[in-house]
Amino acid sequence: LILIGGFVQLLAGFLAFRKYDHLGGAAFLTFSALWSSYGATRIIAAASPSLQNTTVPSGNDSHLLPTGTAHLSASQTSAFNVVLLCMTLAMEVLTICFLLFTLEKLPLPFEIVMLSIFSIICFYGATASLANCMFGKDLMMMGPPLFTVESSKKDIEDPPPCICPKSHCTSGLRTIADLLNTGAVCGVPTDTVYALAASCKHPQAIEKVYRIKDRPQEKPICIFISNLDQLRAASPPISPLLWEFMENVYPGGIGCIIKKGEWLKKLGVGAGYSRVGTQDSIMIRVPDLTVLVHLIDMTGPLAITSANPSGEVDSTHHDMVISRLGHKLEGVLCDGESDEVVASTVVNCTKIDESGITIVREGCIPAGKVMQIFESVKNR
């Protein structure tokens, strides 16, 4: 019916040009092209329901003119409803009226009635669509769908290159923990940006982190612990001033570089001792993110570095990690947008008692605020 209507309007446009009615001819030629392409799209969509990006009127917007389009995406349905059918029929009758007008055989009352019906249908369709979209439910009926075209998400999306559980699910957290405990490298959310994580019990996993990122070997990798009590249990040689400073900055987006020693093995670093930090120092951080803290409780200390190819911008969403590094990882813990867009601030505390602290890298916590915290602790 739609393709026939397009042909009729094409004929009407041709006759209008023959009678030197260029405005009417151009209008009907345009409508014939639109309705014809719309009908062809309907046929193609019906033949291939899983076709991606099919541009057809969808849902409550389908009463609009054929130029109104919507992408047929995952779990979306395109419906040809009663309002659109009535509008189509009215448009075809108007086309016939135009043909009769060109032959000077159109009764005036019939023209007025048809224009009135067409106007009412358009007004009702626009009002119903606006109301239904604003309130999110069918306040004004558009009629049952006469036929639908559906597309399933699984038909149009490729599977992720690695395991991608959700962070709010206990099973998802357990999945990533199990992978890390077997020596895998996974992408995880932090309280700043997304990071690559490897268990400190598996030095080969830490080496793999360097290969995944193309990270220079001279750049050290830090470790994350879940709380300061873990650090106290390892009995590191830390002065009261440094303890006080760490209690004021942990948990949070500040990492402290402290002197390295055998106490790290008591912390649970194990075989990865020589692969984290430098020969003399190690950066330790306690993240302010519940899901990551729970993960560390399941795995022990984690070797952490930002989840991006070396030298490129940080990843602020799990989709970025999956698209950039997913094919090299065993899993990514999906937690949506990160809390920050830059990495943590790194502070050198190895000489805190002699000469104070030094800002190695300014990140999400301003250097001025870090120095203010240190001065406050020092004065106390």
Side-chain angles (χ1 to χ4, degrees):
L1 176 62
I2 295 173
L3 292 176
I4 294 174
F7 174 76
V8 173
Q9 291 184 55
L10 179 64
L11 178 60
F14 173 72
L15 292 176
F17 272 111
R18 290 294 300 271
K19 294 183 70 68
Y20 302 103
D21 183 2
H22 293 163
L23 179 61
F28 274 92
L29 285 172
T30 302
F31 271 107
S32 70
L34 291 174
W35 282 99
S36 298
S37 62
Y38 169 69
T41 302
R42 280 293 182 185
I43 292 174
I44 295 172
S48 303
S50 60
L51 188 64
Q52 295 183 32
N53 297 331
T54 304
T55 51
V56 292
S58 168
N60 289 334
D61 294 329
S62 57
H63 71 279
L64 298 173
L65 290 177
T67 51
T69 61
H71 287 292
L72 189 62
S73 60
S75 305
Q76 207 170 23
T77 301
S78 171
F80 188 96
N81 57 38
V82 174
V83 173
L84 181 57
L85 176 62
C86 293
M87 181 180 174
T88 304
L89 294 175
M91 194 67 194
E92 307 309 330
V93 176
L94 282 178
T95 305
I96 296 173
C97 292
F98 185 80
L99 288 172
L100 293 174
F101 173 76
T102 59
L103 298 174
E104 298 180 354
K105 293 184 178 181
L106 176 64
L108 182 60
F110 183 71
E111 179 184 3
I112 295 174
V113 169
M114 287 310 305
L115 287 174
S116 300
I117 293 174
F118 186 67
S119 300
I120 292 171
I121 294 173
C122 289
F123 178 77
Y124 178 83
T127 305
S129 178
L130 181 62
N132 295 346
C133 289
M134 285 180 61
F135 295 99
K137 54 184 178 180
D138 293 335
L139 297 178
M140 300 178 68
M141 298 304 297
M142 301 288 290
L146 303 180
F147 63 85
T148 60
V149 178
E150 296 183 354
S151 177
S152 172
K153 189 172 184 177
K154 65 179 71 174
D155 292 334
I156 63 173
E157 280 195 2
D158 293 329
C162 59
I163 299 172
C164 300
K166 303 295 183 182
S167 63
H168 64 270
C169 298
T170 304
S171 59
L173 204 60
R174 173 55 64 188
T175 298
I176 296 298
D178 290 342
L179 287 172
L180 291 171
N181 286 330
T182 56
V185 177
C186 297
V188 298
T190 74
D191 50 344
T192 55
V193 294
Y194 274 79
L196 298 183
S199 172
C200 291
K201 302 170 187 174
H202 298 277
Q204 74 279 3
I206 302 175
E207 287 295 331
K208 186 178 178 181
V209 170
Y210 278 94
R211 294 195 300 271
I212 290 173
K213 285 193 56 165
D214 293 326
R215 184 180 178 87
Q217 289 289 331
E218 62 270 15
K219 287 189 175 182
I221 287 181
C222 69
I223 63 171
F224 277 31
I225 58 177
S226 60
N227 56 71
L228 270 180
D229 291 335
Q230 282 184 313
L231 193 59
R232 287 193 183 93
S235 302
I238 292 178
S239 67
L241 178 59
L242 181 52
W243 276 120
E244 183 74 15
F245 178 69
M246 288 193 294
E247 286 174 352
N248 279 267
V249 298
Y250 290 156
I254 298 175
C256 296
I257 299 175
I258 62 177
K259 292 178 180 179
K260 197 173 182 180
E262 291 297 314
W263 58 269
L264 276 172
K265 296 180 180 179
K266 297 180 183 178
L267 187 64
V269 171
Y273 177 85
S274 61
R275 302 296 197 281
V276 293
T278 65
Q279 186 176 357
D280 303 316
S281 63
I282 180 73
M283 191 190 98
I284 295 179
R285 193 155 86 82
V286 179
D288 191 16
L289 186 69
T290 303
V291 63
L292 184 54
V293 168
H294 285 316
L295 182 64
I296 297 171
D297 285 336
M298 295 178 182
T299 62
L302 292 175
I304 294 285
T305 183
S306 58
N308 57 282
S310 187
E312 297 187 14
V313 296
D314 296 320
S315 297
T316 56
H317 194 282
H318 61 257
D319 286 339
M320 292 179 67
V321 182
I322 295 169
S323 62
R324 300 163 89 184
L325 300 172
H327 60 288
K328 299 180 180 180
L329 302 175
E330 282 80 11
V332 174
L333 187 60
C334 300
D335 196 51
E337 289 284 348
S338 61
D339 293 336
E340 300 286 347
V341 294
V342 293
S344 60
T345 297
V346 180
V347 183
N348 190 337
C349 303
T350 54
K351 297 181 179 181
I352 189 171
D353 294 298
E354 294 84 8
S355 55
I357 61 174
T358 315
I359 306 297
V360 178
R361 180 186 72 194
E362 185 173 15
C364 60
I365 308 297
K369 184 175 181 179
V370 177
M371 297 305 297
Q372 184 179 1
I373 293 172
F374 173 67
E375 290 298 328
S376 175
V377 169
K378 185 178 178 181
N379 291 335
R380 287 203 301 271

